[in-house]
Amino acid sequence: SSTASPSHRSASASDSNAPTQPFVIGVSGGTASGKTTVCDMIIQQLHDHRVVLINQDSFYRGLTAEESKRVHEYNFDHPDAFDTEQLLDCVQKLRSGHSYQVPFYDFKSHRRCSDTFRQVNVSDVIILEGILVFHDQRVRNLMNMKIFVDTDADVRLARRIRRDTVERGRDINSVLEQYAKFVKPAFDDFVLPSKKYADVIIPRGGDNHVAIDLIVQHIHTKLGQHDLCKIYPNVYVIQSTFQI
Ligand code: CTP
C-alpha cells in the first residue's frame, strides 16, 4: 500500500534466503464490529504462512484497587486505558524477529493475570487488532497495511450486549450505561477519526467475503506467493485508500 513501510522485504523464489521482516496488518473498528472474525478469516486463508494475532485488549492497564471500587466510572475506551508503550515494544520486538510474552487480560476482574503470559514467536505476518490500534502514530507507522472494519452502530451494540452479558459477566443495564457514557463518545472522538488512516475499509465485517479475499490476495502478493495471482490475474496490489 502507499503507506507500507519501505523497509518491508518479501521473500521470493530468487530471494528465499534473504532475511524478511514480518508483514504487519492493523485491524481496527468500533467495539463488536467483527474485527476478530475478519482476523480469523484472514488467518484461515493464510494457512501456509506463520501468522500471529496480537489483541490490543491484552495491553489494557490493570485497574488499581481504588479504580476497581469505582469501575463504572472507568473509561475503557479512552486511549489512556491502554499501555501503548508496551504494545509498541511488543510489535517492535516481533517485527525485528524476537519472540514476546504477551500479557493476559481478564475482562471479568479488569486485571492482568500477573503470572500468565502468551508466548508469541517469530512469524511471517503479525495482525494487530483493537479499537484504537490506529490512534498512536508510532504504532501506525509499524503497519504495512491498515484495515478498518465498518459495521453499523446498531449491529455493534446488539452484539456487544449479547457478548458482555454472556461472556464478560455483565448485566444489561451496566452494558447500556457504559455504552452511552464511554463507548459511544470515545468511538466518536477517537475510533472514527482514526478511520482516515485505513488503506482498506470493510463494510459489514466478517460477512464481506469479497473484501477478505482481496485483502488475502494482496498479502499473498506481498509475501511473494504468486500462485494465487495466476488464478486472479486482474486483481493485484491495493495501492491507496479505497472503500470496497
Ligand atoms: N472493555 C470492557 N471492560 C474492560 C476492558 C474493556 O468493557 N475491563 C470494553 C471497552 O469498553 C471496549 C471493548 O472492551 O469498548 C473493546 O473490545 P472490543 O473491541 O469490543 O472486542 P473485540 O472482540 O476485539 O471486538 P470485535 O467484536 O470487533 O472482534
Side-chain angles (χ1 to χ4, degrees), residues 28-39 55-57 60-61 63 71 74-78 81-82 105-111 129-132 149 156 159-160 163-164 167-168 170 178-179 182-183:
S28 189
T31 180
S33 53
K35 300 181 290 297
T36 309
T37 309
V38 167
C39 293
N55 306 97
Q56 189 181 26
D57 293 351
Y60 265 118
R61 296 178 195 281
L63 264 55
V71 71
Y74 193 88
N75 189 350
F76 290 102
D77 292 75
H78 192 280
F82 297 95
Y105 184 77
D106 177 11
F107 281 92
K108 288 188 180 159
S109 64
H110 316 284
R111 292 242 166 87
E129 173 268 334
I131 51 171
L132 288 167
V149 182
R156 292 192 293 103
R159 280 189 194 153
R160 169 121 180 184
R163 183 192 67 197
D164 282 7
E167 292 169 25
R168 293 184 181 174
R170 315 275 169 89
Q178 184 191 9
Y179 189 84
F182 296 120
V183 183

Side-chain angles (χ1 to χ4, degrees), residues 11-239:
S12 66
S14 59
D15 192 24
S16 56
N17 293 322
T20 56
Q21 222 173 32
F23 189 78
V24 183
I25 307 168
V27 178
S28 189
T31 180
S33 53
K35 300 181 290 297
T36 309
T37 309
V38 167
C39 293
D40 287 347
M41 288 170 76
I42 294 173
I43 292 167
Q44 234 175 13
Q45 291 198 39
L46 288 176
H47 51 82
D48 44 356
H49 290 284
R50 296 169 301 173
V51 186
V52 294
L53 176 63
I54 305 295
N55 306 97
Q56 189 181 26
D57 293 351
S58 305
F59 295 88
Y60 265 118
R61 296 178 195 281
L63 264 55
T64 62
E66 203 49 46
E67 287 166 338
S68 290
K69 281 187 212 148
R70 295 198 242 138
V71 71
H72 300 299
E73 291 169 24
Y74 193 88
N75 189 350
F76 290 102
D77 292 75
H78 192 280
D80 292 348
F82 297 95
D83 186 344
T84 302
E85 299 305 317
Q86 197 187 0
L87 173 70
L88 190 64
D89 183 50
C90 170
V91 183
Q92 276 167 342
K93 293 249 163 64
L94 290 173
R95 203 164 166 261
S96 54
H98 298 99
S99 57
Y100 200 87
Q101 304 263 334
V102 175
F104 220 84
Y105 184 77
D106 177 11
F107 281 92
K108 288 188 180 159
S109 64
H110 316 284
R111 292 242 166 87
R112 282 193 182 178
C113 311
S114 52
D115 52 353
T116 320
F117 293 90
R118 180 168 65 103
Q119 164 91 13
V120 176
N121 293 319
V122 179
S123 65
D124 305 313
V125 179
I126 300 165
I127 305 182
L128 177 58
E129 173 268 334
I131 51 171
L132 288 167
V133 290
F134 297 163
H135 181 74
D136 190 291
Q137 188 187 3
R138 297 165 303 164
V139 179
R140 266 197 328 266
N141 286 346
L142 296 174
M143 296 170 182
N144 299 99
M145 181 187 207
K146 298 183 213 68
I147 300 169
F148 190 93
V149 182
D150 202 9
T151 305
D152 289 347
D154 55 349
V155 175
R156 292 192 293 103
L157 177 57
R159 280 189 194 153
R160 169 121 180 184
I161 292 169
R162 193 176 298 128
R163 183 192 67 197
D164 282 7
T165 51
V166 175
E167 292 169 25
R168 293 184 181 174
R170 315 275 169 89
D171 73 80
I172 187 157
N173 284 328
S174 76
V175 176
L176 293 175
E177 241 169 65
Q178 184 191 9
Y179 189 84
K181 193 170 173 188
F182 296 120
V183 183
K184 188 178 161 61
F187 177 81
D188 293 337
D189 291 347
F190 304 110
V191 184
L192 199 54
S194 76
K195 183 175 161 179
K196 64 175 174 280
Y197 300 114
D199 301 305
V200 185
I201 296 162
I202 310 185
R204 308 183 306 281
D207 295 337
N208 195 332
H209 293 259
V210 174
I212 310 276
D213 284 355
L214 282 165
I215 288 162
V216 170
Q217 178 72 40
H218 177 68
I219 300 164
H220 271 126
T221 307
K222 285 290 177 189
L223 290 172
Q225 230 200 33
H226 298 289
D227 297 355
L228 286 168
C229 304
K230 288 174 193 152
I231 305 169
Y232 302 110
N234 297 327
V235 181
Y236 210 59
V237 179
I238 299 164
Q239 286 290 0

